[in-house]
Amino acid sequence: MDFRLTARQEELKGSARGLTEFIMKYELDCEENNGLPPQAHAEIRDAVLDSGLQAVNMPAEWGGAGLTILEQAVVQEELGRLTGALWDMVWRPANALRFCTPEQRERYLVPVIRGRRRDCYAVTEPEAGSDPQNISTTATRTADGWVLNGEKWFVTVGDHADFMIVLAAAGEERAPTLFLVDKETPGIEMTRVPRFMHTFVYEHPEFTFTDVHVGDDAVLGGIGNGYDITRSWFTEERLMIAARTTGAAERALELARDWAVERRQFGSPIADFQLVQGMLADCAVDIAVNRAYTHQVAWEVDAGLSDRKTLHAKAAIAKLSASEAAGRVIDRCVQIFGGRGYDRSYPVERLYRELRVDRIWEGTSEIQRLIIAGELVKRGTGVLQIPSAG
């Protein structure tokens, strides 16, 4: 085994770190004003395009960066250091858009890749969260297309996006189907923008769909394939959450370590106190172990060394472990900072609020445990093995 980053991976890591440091100067503005003005969005968009890290999950022939899963994880680790979810301004189009027809690709995906449009994914509903198969939003057949009716919650980037990927039960068979819907289509209403405990650069609004008419050309990936397309996206996205939370935890530890070395109490740096040293050490363990495992699973995905179900379970392990470890790390770091750790002008405070959602979205920690346990019960402990090259 060779765990060293390749020259290419080192280059990507450096580019992502440079972009992260550029975007970092917008953090306090985002926190204090609950978002950023249009000029800041334009400046960051241009910086992303200059870095070549736009649409890292899309093929180069479509205009994306065309990175492997491991390369994407390396990039996401660096971006995860940003507070305010400013990492989301380095756009990664929804993987479902890979299923666009050529015509849909030109209308929707290519402009997203170029930073001219933005997508959002509308899946969750008031009564359908962890189980999207329980959706009540419907798509009814008409002579020239479909009519959508329903309600969607937690539509991340829904305030900024100009089109939506909507999961609905299509036809009498209630076949789970994805639809591409322009946000200005009549019948779509943004009914509420909840204020969450974190301050993110984008919001997570609620929408209603009342007799929203779309054509047959709005179907994404075929009738009945919506849930499978959405589920296939989870493996990759959960690995990216693992990478981002690891990067966030590392930034928090760096800040806490520097604070502990510089902060003096009772005549000594608090880094001399063994209880503080213990917290620093535990943080280092959580970060090192989760980075190694996330890289391992990303490498397995790229190499195609495991079957889809095994990789799905391994991604669940990575997301569960890294997100919960990051929560432990940031809790310790706030404690090391003491009263200043409770001040919103300090990154550790912002990370404390922001990392909590990573144990909820893209599948709660409880859902990850069910996925892992299901794999163990049905197929044994193979999920623990590292595949051989042979």
Side-chain angles (χ1 to χ4, degrees):
M1 297 182 185
D2 187 347
F3 293 98
R4 293 173 297 178
L5 295 181
T6 65
R8 168 65 171 160
Q9 291 161 355
E10 284 282 10
E11 178 185 4
L12 289 167
K13 182 179 178 68
S15 296
R17 174 60 67 94
L19 180 60
T20 296
E21 290 174 350
F22 173 82
I23 298 174
M24 203 171 281
K25 67 183 182 182
Y26 295 90
E27 286 184 331
L28 271 179
D29 189 15
C30 182
E31 172 62 33
E32 293 172 355
N33 297 292
N34 193 38
L36 293 175
Q39 180 181 348
H41 280 271
E43 291 167 355
I44 293 173
R45 181 198 62 221
D46 291 345
V48 173
L49 292 170
D50 288 344
S51 74
L53 294 176
Q54 76 281 359
V56 294
N57 58 331
M58 291 295 160
E61 58 265 30
W62 295 350
L67 304 191
T68 67
I69 301 301
L70 179 53
E71 289 170 346
Q72 290 181 48
V74 169
V75 169
Q76 292 300 313
E77 273 182 27
E78 294 299 324
L79 297 176
R81 300 169 65 88
L82 292 163
T83 65
L86 292 173
W87 44 263
D88 204 13
M89 299 187 78
V90 187
W91 57 92
R92 293 173 68 250
N95 283 334
L97 294 174
R98 288 175 172 268
F99 293 85
C100 283
T101 64
E103 293 77 15
Q104 290 172 335
R105 187 186 309 149
E106 290 303 312
R107 180 178 175 183
Y108 292 103
L109 179 54
V110 171
V112 172
I113 291 172
R114 293 175 178 170
R116 297 173 183 168
R117 301 196 72 175
R118 189 67 195 255
D119 59 296
C120 62
Y121 219 117
V123 175
T124 303
E125 298 180 0
E127 304 301 327
S130 294
D131 181 12
Q133 296 183 88
N134 196 35
I135 57 172
S136 60
T137 298
T138 59
T140 304
R141 254 290 184 202
T142 65
D144 57 348
W146 301 85
V147 172
L148 307 181
N149 282 281
E151 184 176 6
K152 294 295 183 180
W153 284 18
F154 308 130
V155 183
T156 301
V157 196
D159 60 319
H160 191 78
D162 64 336
F163 74 93
M164 316 174 82
I165 303 167
V166 182
L167 181 64
E172 295 181 0
E173 300 79 13
R174 291 185 51 81
T177 303
L178 295 175
F179 293 87
L180 293 167
V181 187
D182 291 309
K183 206 169 74 175
E184 70 272 13
T185 304
I188 297 177
E189 181 182 0
M190 189 164 68
T191 54
R192 179 170 174 257
V193 182
R195 289 303 307 273
F196 293 98
M197 65 186 286
H198 60 229
T199 302
F200 273 23
V201 67
Y202 300 122
E203 301 285 6
H204 319 271
E206 298 170 6
F207 289 88
T208 56
F209 299 80
T210 305
D211 296 333
V212 177
H213 183 270
V214 296
D216 283 319
D217 59 353
V219 174
L220 176 63
I223 302 297
N225 295 324
Y227 182 61
D228 287 340
I229 292 172
T230 301
R231 183 170 51 188
S232 67
W233 169 64
F234 280 147
T235 295
E236 184 173 321
E237 188 55 35
R238 286 166 181 167
L239 283 174
M240 297 307 118
I241 290 175
R244 284 200 303 272
T245 54
T246 299
E250 184 173 24
R251 183 186 182 192
L253 177 56
E254 290 172 0
L255 292 168
R257 177 267 173 201
D258 292 348
W259 177 259
V261 169
E262 296 167 5
R263 176 69 168 165
R264 297 182 67 86
Q265 290 288 288
F266 308 106
S268 299
I270 64 173
D272 290 347
F273 304 152
Q274 289 182 332
L275 289 176
V276 172
Q277 291 177 359
M279 288 191 283
L280 293 172
D282 287 343
C283 289
V285 171
D286 276 332
I287 294 165
V289 170
N290 282 285
R291 170 176 288 125
Y293 187 72
T294 300
H295 283 201
Q296 174 198 318
V297 179
W299 165 74
E300 288 184 36
V301 173
D302 288 333
L305 297 178
S306 298
D307 63 88
R308 180 181 62 82
K309 290 185 177 180
T310 299
L311 290 174
H312 186 231
K314 287 188 172 186
I317 293 174
K319 197 263 190 186
L320 171 66
S321 180
S323 64
E324 298 206 340
R328 294 192 297 269
V329 168
I330 191 58
D331 187 78
R332 298 185 196 110
C333 292
V334 168
Q335 195 72 11
I336 291 169
F337 268 86
R340 287 175 177 82
Y342 222 59
D343 182 336
R344 290 192 178 205
S345 65
Y346 284 73
V348 291
E349 188 280 337
R350 300 195 296 274
L351 288 169
Y352 184 86
R353 285 181 286 122
E354 293 165 8
L355 285 170
R356 185 60 183 86
V357 75
D358 290 294
R359 286 180 267 167
I360 297 173
W361 61 7
E362 316 309 347
T364 64
S365 288
E366 291 70 31
I367 289 296
Q368 307 312 311
R369 289 184 169 93
L370 291 177
I371 293 169
I372 297 161
E375 179 71 8
L376 290 170
V377 170
K378 294 174 184 176
R379 306 174 73 194
T381 59
V383 70
L384 303 177
Q385 308 305 313
I386 300 176
S388 65

